[in-house]
Amino acid sequence: MHAALPNRIPEIGVSYRSHDPRQRLIVALDVSTAAAAQKIVVAVGDSAFTYKVGMQLYTAEGPQVVRDLIASGRRVFLDLKYHDIPNTVGAAVAEAAKLDVSMLTVHAAGTGKMLRTAVDAAKARPGLMVLAVTVLTSLDSHDLENIGVRGTVEDSVVRLATIALANGCHGVVASAREASTLRAELGEMFAIVTPGVRPAGTSAGDQVRIVTPAEAIASGASHIVVGRPITEAADPAAEARAILGQMSG
Ligand code: C5P
């Protein structure tokens, strides 16, 4: 991967709400080849530093795509949503730390020991943020009831986020709607990474509940994840810049 950035990006502060919107924009590389990913990264240029590598790209291309992104000066959010016995998750997080990723995801439902083991393993890479997924937004209260979880989805989100933070996680992945509840209930000192963001005036695609960048930030998101609006734009850099403007405005 070429087009290296000139400087190493400084780590994000403890409140995770940087004044520089470029520190808060994450571009989702939901593609299946390293070549397609590289094309997007080059097209975005220096409008964004952090790229989300999820299970599609990672399964297709493996860790080399992560190494190449980092070697070119980008940060990587490794979104593999680890959920297994503590020993296995800890070992996987240790490997992710060796790759030098900046952020990764675990399922909060793995609970205390798994989360603590993940957080401990992440310490090998200072600044590596362990983010917890609470309730997948594809699930509703009936789905939760079917697996024996009572109460509203929101109750479960807050409960799981509380468990995640109590066990050392640095933040959560949450929709904008959940973000405002989580800020009200749990405060400011953790990251909230929010997907489902669409620039003002664009189509929703298959996202059901969407918010604009400004709405996500106002809801309490420390970071926003944007995929297709940037990756499928005719001019990804211009689209990313427009989103940065909306985040600041
Ligand atoms: O292309 P789009 O902006 O919809 O991509 C959003 C990214 O965020 C995708 O990688 C998707 O898997 C992820 N995501 C989401 N909704 C969630 C959790 C993750 O869209 N609730």
Side-chain angles (χ1 to χ4, degrees), residues 27-30 52 54 79 81 133 135-138 173-175 178 193-198 204-207 210 225-232:
V27 179
L29 291 174
D30 294 324
K52 184 166 87 75
D79 183 21
K81 298 186 177 67
V133 174
V135 180
L136 294 171
T137 46
S138 52
V173 179
S175 70
E178 295 160 356
V193 178
T194 299
V197 178
R198 291 290 173 271
D206 58 1
Q207 291 280 14
I210 54 151
V225 177
V226 184
R228 291 159 292 179
I230 292 176
T231 62
E232 294 179 359

Side-chain angles (χ1 to χ4, degrees), residues 9-12 22-23 49-51 73-77 102:
I9 314 305
E11 288 304 332
I12 297 158
R22 290 185 304 171
Q23 302 277 2
F49 302 135
T50 310
Y51 289 86
R74 273 73 181 180
R75 285 198 299 234
V76 171
F77 170 17
S102 298

Side-chain angles (χ1 to χ4, degrees), residues 11-17 129 170 183 188-191 222:
E11 288 304 332
I12 297 158
V14 186
S15 88
Y16 302 110
R17 297 217 220 180
M129 290 164 64
H170 307 95
R183 287 288 178 223
E188 293 294 320
M189 302 308 279
F190 61 100
S222 58

